[in-house]
Amino acid sequence: MWPDFLTTEPGRLVRVILIDDDPHIRCVIAGELVSDMRIDLVGQADCARSGKRLISSTEFDVMIVDLNLGDGSGFELIEHMKRVRNHAEAIVVSIMDDEQRAIRAFELGATGYLVKNSWFGSFAQAVLQVCNGGASITPNLARRLLQKFETPVSGVGLTARAPAPASAAPASAGHTLSERECEVLRLVALGHTSPEIAQQLSLSVQTVNTHIRNIYRKLQVKSRAQAVSMAAHQRII
């Protein structure tokens, strides 16, 4: 029953808050969350103002938030969450599936983006996935985002990636990513967790996490989503 990230804390539930101004959607998501014995839905809000109060007053691990709230934006709440509860994860739920909004959410620190009319997975599993070091993105949107990361190669089109030139890394980072670090980052961009990456590359989980820490240091970022966004901007992957 318990995923790997909870093995050191048996019986500890994943605490979730839900912020959405659509009562029907909020009811659907809440119903899924409370039916999962691994999750504790500790609070709900129906607007940006009450959402901000909820973030500040409640201990939680994951926030599920809509981008369009009648009195504000989910972007504001992600920023606020990262200021007051930097350890927490954010999953966006939105009716809009454009890449720019998704990239903006990831730049602010979100690790999930689910499109309301296109997400047929489990919200509970999305919560557990981001807590376990992964990312949860609606597949159609993830495919389009990955296409943005592709580097055209003459005569091949968008089906292959060219190695990033030395100048592609941020000047402030001082170092380019190694070939192995680029492999790890590409798998991170696909939403794989550290154990999954370790299995695919025949590495230990500890080695994968070391590569990820080195990627953070070289790109000067603090999260997987920020690393993927920076690498795409710099055409590293």
Side-chain angles (χ1 to χ4, degrees):
M1 173 185 291
W2 301 100
D4 291 343
F5 74 94
L6 288 179
T7 55
T8 57
E9 299 180 75
R12 179 191 177 284
L13 303 183
V14 180
R15 300 162 299 180
V16 179
I17 62 171
L18 172 60
I19 305 170
D20 196 312
D21 63 353
D22 184 326
H24 173 69
I25 293 294
R26 200 168 64 250
C27 182
V28 169
I29 297 175
E32 283 196 22
L33 297 178
V34 299
S35 67
D36 194 303
M37 296 177 60
R38 298 165 293 187
I39 292 175
D40 183 12
L41 181 60
V42 296
Q44 298 185 52
D46 60 0
C47 64
R49 184 177 180 181
S50 60
K52 186 171 290 188
R53 288 199 302 266
L54 182 63
I55 292 168
S56 299
S57 63
T58 307
E59 292 287 342
F60 63 93
D61 304 301
V62 179
M63 172 179 70
I64 299 178
V65 61
D66 191 3
L67 286 185
N68 283 340
L69 301 166
D71 60 341
S73 165
F75 292 131
E76 300 170 10
L77 296 186
I78 297 172
E79 289 183 291
H80 180 64
M81 185 199 79
K82 286 301 178 181
R83 285 195 299 269
V84 301
R85 303 200 185 279
N86 188 50
H87 69 281
E89 305 282 353
I91 298 175
V92 168
V93 289
S94 176
I95 197 169
M96 293 167 290
D97 68 346
D98 61 287
E99 301 94 276
Q100 292 306 313
R101 286 179 178 270
I103 290 172
R104 175 61 175 157
F106 295 145
E107 287 175 340
L108 293 175
T111 47
Y113 196 106
L114 310 179
V115 181
K116 290 181 179 179
N117 294 334
S118 303
W119 176 247
F120 302 106
S122 162
F123 288 99
Q125 289 301 321
V127 165
L128 296 174
Q129 189 169 32
V130 299
C131 279
N132 198 22
S136 188
I137 308 173
T138 297
N140 289 343
L141 175 60
R143 181 65 175 265
R144 296 204 308 275
L145 288 172
L146 287 174
Q147 288 173 346
K148 282 182 170 291
F149 300 158
E150 302 282 359
T151 302
V153 179
S154 179
V156 180
L158 294 180
T159 59
R161 294 181 178 87
S167 60
S172 59
H175 299 283
T176 58
L177 298 185
S178 68
E179 183 177 348
R180 178 63 86 186
E181 288 164 351
C182 288
E183 287 180 326
V184 169
L185 189 52
R186 288 180 190 124
L187 291 173
V188 168
L190 289 169
H192 292 293
T193 64
S194 292
E196 290 169 344
I197 295 171
Q199 184 176 15
Q200 290 198 39
L201 299 181
S202 299
L203 301 172
S204 69
V205 175
Q206 182 178 1
T207 298
V208 170
N209 288 334
T210 297
H211 284 312
I212 291 174
R213 285 194 296 270
N214 289 337
I215 291 168
Y216 287 1
R217 174 177 54 79
K218 290 181 179 181
L219 298 184
Q220 297 185 350
V221 297
K222 297 181 179 179
S223 72
R224 294 182 180 220
Q226 290 174 349
V228 170
S229 177
M230 176 65 74
H233 178 72
Q234 297 291 336
R235 293 187 176 274
I236 295 172
I237 59 173

